[in-house]
Amino acid sequence: MEEVKKIKIAVNGGISFGAKLNAKQMITIAKYMNEEDELELTTFQQLYLEIPEDQKDEIIRELEGVGLRCYPVGNYVKSLRTCNFCKGEEAEGMPVAKELNERVAGKDVPFTLKIAYTGCPIGCGEPLINDIGVMKIKDGFNLYAGGKSKGKDAQVGTLLFENLEPHDLYQKVEKLIDLYAANGKKRETVLKFINRFGKDQILEQLSQ
Ligand code: SF4
Protein backbone atom coordinates (compact mmCIF):
# COMPACT_ATOMS: atom_id res chain seq x y z
CA MET A 1 0.00 0.00 0.00
CA GLU A 2 1.28 3.45 -0.88
CA GLU A 3 2.42 5.38 2.16
CA VAL A 4 0.49 8.61 2.86
CA LYS A 5 2.73 11.67 2.72
CA LYS A 6 2.56 13.65 5.95
CA ILE A 7 3.38 17.23 6.75
CA LYS A 8 4.10 18.86 10.08
CA ILE A 9 1.99 21.77 11.31
CA ALA A 10 2.26 23.81 14.50
CA VAL A 11 -0.91 24.03 16.59
CA ASN A 12 -1.86 25.98 19.70
CA GLY A 13 -4.88 27.43 21.45
CA GLY A 14 -4.30 30.98 20.18
CA ILE A 15 -3.65 33.97 22.39
CA SER A 16 -5.60 34.15 25.65
CA PHE A 17 -5.03 33.80 29.40
CA GLY A 18 -2.26 31.23 29.79
CA ALA A 19 -1.33 28.65 27.18
CA LYS A 20 -4.21 26.24 27.55
CA LEU A 21 -6.15 23.65 25.56
CA ASN A 22 -9.61 22.39 26.38
CA ALA A 23 -10.74 18.74 26.23
CA LYS A 24 -12.53 19.16 22.88
CA GLN A 25 -9.38 20.59 21.33
CA MET A 26 -7.29 17.71 22.67
CA ILE A 27 -9.79 15.14 21.38
CA THR A 28 -9.74 16.78 17.94
CA ILE A 29 -5.94 16.71 17.85
CA ALA A 30 -5.93 13.07 19.00
CA LYS A 31 -8.22 12.12 16.06
CA TYR A 32 -5.24 12.60 13.78
CA MET A 33 -2.83 10.53 15.85
CA ASN A 34 -2.25 6.80 16.09
CA GLU A 35 -1.85 5.30 19.55
CA GLU A 36 1.92 5.10 19.24
CA ASP A 37 2.32 8.63 17.81
CA GLU A 38 3.92 11.32 19.94
CA LEU A 39 3.05 14.99 20.12
CA GLU A 40 6.01 17.34 20.27
CA LEU A 41 5.67 20.35 22.57
CA THR A 42 8.02 23.17 21.59
CA THR A 43 9.43 25.90 23.79
CA PHE A 44 7.32 28.33 21.81
CA GLN A 45 3.91 27.25 23.07
CA GLN A 46 3.23 25.18 19.97
CA LEU A 47 2.46 21.50 19.42
CA TYR A 48 3.85 19.84 16.30
CA LEU A 49 1.31 17.56 14.67
CA GLU A 50 1.85 15.44 11.57
CA ILE A 51 -1.15 15.24 9.25
CA PRO A 52 -1.73 13.68 5.81
CA GLU A 53 -0.74 16.28 3.22
CA ASP A 54 -3.69 15.51 0.93
CA GLN A 55 -6.19 16.35 3.71
CA LYS A 56 -4.32 19.37 5.05
CA ASP A 57 -6.97 21.99 4.30
CA GLU A 58 -9.92 20.01 5.76
CA ILE A 59 -7.98 19.06 8.88
CA ILE A 60 -6.83 22.64 9.51
CA ARG A 61 -10.44 23.81 9.07
CA GLU A 62 -11.57 21.24 11.64
CA LEU A 63 -8.83 22.20 14.12
CA GLU A 64 -9.64 25.88 13.71
CA GLY A 65 -13.33 25.06 14.14
CA VAL A 66 -12.66 24.07 17.76
CA GLY A 67 -10.67 27.24 18.42
CA LEU A 68 -7.16 25.97 17.68
CA ARG A 69 -4.73 28.00 15.60
CA CYS A 70 -2.49 26.38 12.98
CA TYR A 71 0.80 27.70 11.65
CA PRO A 72 3.43 26.50 9.18
CA VAL A 73 6.66 24.90 10.45
CA GLY A 74 10.05 26.03 9.09
CA ASN A 75 11.51 29.38 8.14
CA TYR A 76 8.49 31.47 9.07
CA VAL A 77 7.57 33.96 11.77
CA LYS A 78 6.38 31.87 14.73
CA SER A 79 3.12 32.58 16.49
CA LEU A 80 3.54 35.23 19.16
CA ARG A 81 4.83 33.86 22.43
CA THR A 82 3.00 35.70 25.19
CA CYS A 83 3.01 36.01 28.94
CA ASN A 84 -0.02 34.67 30.81
CA PHE A 85 -1.84 38.02 30.93
CA CYS A 86 -2.25 37.63 34.66
CA LYS A 87 -4.10 40.86 35.47
CA GLY A 88 -6.57 41.33 32.66
CA GLU A 89 -7.17 41.32 28.95
CA GLU A 90 -7.34 45.08 28.48
CA ALA A 91 -4.79 46.04 31.13
CA GLU A 92 -2.09 43.91 29.57
CA GLY A 93 -2.95 44.60 25.95
CA MET A 94 -4.19 41.18 24.90
CA PRO A 95 -6.12 42.66 21.94
CA VAL A 96 -2.87 44.23 20.72
CA ALA A 97 -1.05 40.89 21.08
CA LYS A 98 -3.81 39.14 19.10
CA GLU A 99 -3.72 41.72 16.33
CA LEU A 100 0.08 41.59 16.14
CA ASN A 101 -0.06 37.81 15.88
CA GLU A 102 -2.66 37.99 13.09
CA ARG A 103 -0.46 40.37 11.15
CA VAL A 104 2.88 38.59 11.34
CA ALA A 105 2.63 34.89 12.28
CA GLY A 106 3.42 32.60 9.35
CA LYS A 107 5.27 35.19 7.25
CA ASP A 108 8.07 33.81 5.13
CA VAL A 109 11.53 34.85 6.45
CA PRO A 110 15.19 33.81 5.91
CA PHE A 111 15.32 31.89 9.22
CA THR A 112 12.73 30.90 11.84
CA LEU A 113 11.82 34.11 13.66
CA LYS A 114 10.64 34.05 17.25
CA ILE A 115 8.57 36.95 18.45
CA ALA A 116 7.51 37.42 22.07
CA TYR A 117 5.11 39.75 23.81
CA THR A 118 4.76 40.61 27.45
CA GLY A 119 2.04 42.61 29.19
CA CYS A 120 4.19 44.43 31.76
CA PRO A 121 7.88 45.06 32.57
CA ILE A 122 8.12 41.89 34.68
CA GLY A 123 8.53 40.27 31.30
CA CYS A 124 7.25 36.71 31.80
CA GLY A 125 7.10 36.23 28.02
CA GLU A 126 10.89 36.90 27.84
CA PRO A 127 10.71 39.45 25.01
CA LEU A 128 14.31 40.61 25.38
CA ILE A 129 15.82 37.27 24.44
CA ASN A 130 13.81 36.70 21.28
CA ASP A 131 14.37 37.82 17.69
CA ILE A 132 11.67 40.44 18.14
CA GLY A 133 10.28 41.43 21.53
CA VAL A 134 7.44 43.68 22.63
CA MET A 135 7.05 44.90 26.20
CA LYS A 136 4.00 46.86 27.31
CA ILE A 137 4.91 49.56 29.83
CA LYS A 138 1.96 51.56 31.15
CA ASP A 139 0.04 52.50 27.97
CA GLY A 140 2.93 52.30 25.51
CA PHE A 141 4.86 49.51 23.84
CA ASN A 142 8.63 49.10 23.65
CA LEU A 143 10.04 47.27 20.64
CA TYR A 144 13.25 45.22 20.88
CA ALA A 145 15.04 43.17 18.23
CA GLY A 146 18.02 40.85 17.98
CA GLY A 147 17.76 38.99 21.28
CA LYS A 148 19.46 35.58 21.45
CA SER A 149 18.51 33.04 24.10
CA LYS A 150 20.81 30.17 23.12
CA GLY A 151 24.56 29.62 23.23
CA LYS A 152 27.36 31.07 25.31
CA ASP A 153 27.00 34.29 23.32
CA ALA A 154 23.38 34.74 24.39
CA GLN A 155 22.38 38.39 24.61
CA VAL A 156 19.45 40.70 25.10
CA GLY A 157 17.86 42.48 22.18
CA THR A 158 18.39 46.12 21.27
CA LEU A 159 15.71 48.65 22.14
CA LEU A 160 14.53 50.11 18.82
CA PHE A 161 11.52 52.20 19.87
CA GLU A 162 9.90 53.21 23.15
CA ASN A 163 6.34 54.03 24.13
CA LEU A 164 4.73 53.22 20.78
CA GLU A 165 0.98 53.41 20.17
CA PRO A 166 -0.55 50.11 18.94
CA HIS A 167 -0.88 51.30 15.34
CA ASP A 168 2.77 52.37 15.24
CA LEU A 169 3.84 49.13 16.84
CA TYR A 170 2.10 47.03 14.15
CA GLN A 171 3.63 49.12 11.38
CA LYS A 172 7.15 48.99 12.75
CA VAL A 173 7.08 45.25 13.42
CA GLU A 174 5.69 44.57 9.95
CA LYS A 175 8.28 46.84 8.33
CA LEU A 176 11.10 45.20 10.29
CA ILE A 177 9.97 41.74 9.21
CA ASP A 178 9.58 42.86 5.58
CA LEU A 179 13.05 44.44 5.66
CA TYR A 180 14.55 41.25 7.08
CA ALA A 181 12.62 39.09 4.58
CA ALA A 182 13.86 41.19 1.66
CA ASN A 183 17.47 41.71 2.74
CA GLY A 184 18.36 38.90 5.15
CA LYS A 185 20.58 36.11 3.87
CA LYS A 186 19.37 32.51 3.99
CA ARG A 187 19.57 31.23 7.61
CA GLU A 188 20.81 34.61 8.87
CA THR A 189 19.28 35.35 12.28
CA VAL A 190 17.70 38.71 13.08
CA LEU A 191 20.67 39.50 15.36
CA LYS A 192 23.21 38.84 12.58
CA PHE A 193 21.03 40.78 10.15
CA ILE A 194 20.97 43.82 12.46
CA ASN A 195 24.75 43.65 12.89
CA ARG A 196 25.35 43.41 9.15
CA PHE A 197 22.65 45.82 7.92
CA GLY A 198 23.22 48.34 10.71
CA LYS A 199 20.91 49.47 13.51
CA ASP A 200 20.87 53.09 12.27
CA GLN A 201 19.93 52.03 8.77
CA ILE A 202 17.11 49.86 10.18
CA LEU A 203 15.84 52.69 12.40
CA GLU A 204 15.83 55.01 9.43
CA GLN A 205 13.82 52.60 7.28
CA LEU A 206 11.36 51.87 10.09
CA SER A 207 10.81 55.56 10.74
CA GLN A 208 9.70 56.35 7.17
S1 SF4 B 1 4.54 39.88 32.14
FE1 SF4 B 1 3.36 41.00 33.63
S2 SF4 B 1 1.25 40.86 32.88
FE2 SF4 B 1 2.39 39.26 31.85
S3 SF4 B 1 2.12 37.44 33.14
FE3 SF4 B 1 4.02 38.44 33.78
S4 SF4 B 1 3.44 39.73 35.49
FE4 SF4 B 1 1.54 39.19 34.36
Side-chain angles (χ1 to χ4, degrees), residues 3-11 28-34 37-40 47-56 59-60 63 71 73:
E3 207 171 306
V4 181
K5 192 162 177 236
K6 292 202 163 184
I7 57 152
K8 202 183 262 190
I9 58 167
V11 179
T28 310
I29 290 172
K31 261 179 72 176
Y32 296 100
M33 299 177 67
N34 297 313
D37 286 348
E38 292 176 329
L39 199 56
E40 185 181 343
L47 297 165
Y48 282 167
L49 179 67
E50 292 208 331
I51 56 172
E53 191 172 30
D54 58 354
Q55 295 172 50
K56 177 177 162 239
I59 295 173
I60 288 179
L63 295 170
Y71 304 96
V73 173

Side-chain angles (χ1 to χ4, degrees), residues 47-197:
L47 297 165
Y48 282 167
L49 179 67
E50 292 208 331
I51 56 172
E53 191 172 30
D54 58 354
Q55 295 172 50
K56 177 177 162 239
D57 293 343
E58 302 97 272
I59 295 173
I60 288 179
R61 261 199 302 278
E62 185 179 354
L63 295 170
E64 291 185 340
V66 294
L68 293 163
R69 297 300 313 270
C70 303
Y71 304 96
V73 173
N75 290 334
Y76 301 98
V77 179
K78 293 271 209 196
S79 54
L80 195 71
R81 178 179 174 186
T82 61
C83 65
N84 287 338
F85 297 101
C86 64
K87 294 185 220 98
E89 172 156 345
E90 290 299 327
E92 286 143 16
M94 198 193 295
V96 172
K98 283 183 177 166
E99 176 67 25
L100 191 58
N101 187 57
E102 281 307 314
R103 287 174 182 244
V104 304
K107 279 194 175 197
D108 216 332
V109 277
F111 197 38
T112 310
L113 187 156
K114 294 179 175 177
I115 173 164
Y117 174 97
T118 205
C120 84
I122 294 174
C124 302
E126 301 177 344
L128 269 69
I129 52 164
N130 281 277
D131 296 305
I132 296 179
V134 177
M135 180 179 278
K136 183 170 184 283
I137 302 178
K138 297 203 173 116
D139 291 330
F141 297 86
N142 283 9
L143 175 59
Y144 303 83
K148 183 176 187 296
S149 63
K150 291 195 246 173
K152 59 184 185 335
D153 55 348
Q155 65 177 72
V156 296
T158 307
L159 177 65
L160 296 181
F161 295 94
E162 272 181 290
N163 201 26
L164 293 169
E165 299 274 336
H167 179 71
D168 253 355
L169 174 73
Y170 305 144
Q171 274 204 334
K172 294 205 184 317
V173 173
E174 285 180 306
K175 274 189 184 175
L176 175 60
I177 291 172
D178 290 348
L179 196 65
Y180 170 57
N183 298 283
K185 295 179 183 167
K186 199 167 164 33
R187 296 188 63 79
E188 181 178 47
T189 61
V190 173
L191 172 61
K192 285 186 180 158
F193 171 68
I194 293 172
N195 289 341
R196 178 175 62 80
F197 202 79

